[in-house]
Amino acid sequence: MFDRLEITVLPPGPRFSAQLRFWVNGEDVVQQAVGPGGHGPLAVEALPVGLPNQLRATAEARRVQLGEPECTGGCCGFLSMVVQRTGNVVQWSDWQVPRLEVRPLEFDFDASEYDAEVARAEADFGWRFSA
């Protein structure tokens, strides 16, 4: 059975511009792994217009930053994982978490569903015009 990914964009707030959140099987991975007050990557950096984003899964494994605690990643560390495609599976594994936080599980996504969710997030331009 595959895990299910949903990418959401939180609107800009007083401290941060629009940011991404990653829901896997209905749970906010960023909130659980970076603690209260933490945040996901800034949407403008994670979903660059006209350029491939780091969430796109390929056969080449690469580390992707998904969040940081309120005190900043430079202080306590970032939330990151390795994304890689193997056949019809996209895997998130080898998690690194901020100090003292809980490491998420390894996730396996159906590659076609994963690609569709990433493409949907890339095509959602509504957050780019809210400020």
Side-chain angles (χ1 to χ4, degrees):
M1 185 165 129
F2 288 112
D3 294 295
R4 189 175 146 306
L5 174 67
E6 180 182 354
I7 302 169
T8 59
V9 179
L10 298 181
R15 290 186 58 206
F16 301 107
S17 60
Q19 60 177 291
L20 297 185
R21 288 312 257 264
F22 306 93
W23 295 78
V24 177
N25 304 325
E27 301 290 330
D28 183 343
V29 174
V30 174
Q31 181 66 35
Q32 288 183 341
V34 301
H39 66 89
L42 301 180
V44 70
E45 295 171 0
L47 300 173
V49 176
L51 298 172
N53 74 62
Q54 292 294 305
L55 294 170
R56 289 270 175 199
T58 66
E60 182 179 335
R62 73 176 164 282
R63 182 157 298 280
V64 177
Q65 184 179 308
L66 297 183
E68 63 183 298
E70 184 174 25
C71 65
T72 78
C75 173
C76 295
F78 293 93
L79 170 65
S80 69
M81 55 73 184
V82 171
V83 62
Q84 183 173 22
R85 176 188 304 270
T86 305
N88 70 338
V89 177
V90 172
Q91 186 175 70
W92 285 8
S93 62
D94 192 24
W95 289 90
Q96 292 181 352
V97 297
R99 183 180 43 187
L100 305 176
E101 297 298 338
V102 177
R103 185 179 311 271
L105 300 173
E106 187 172 280
F107 298 119
D108 293 316
F109 305 101
D110 174 271
S112 61
E113 291 179 13
Y114 182 90
D115 290 344
E117 180 59 12
V118 171
R120 184 201 60 75
E122 289 173 330
D124 178 7
F125 294 109
W127 61 269
R128 296 182 198 275
F129 305 108
S130 61

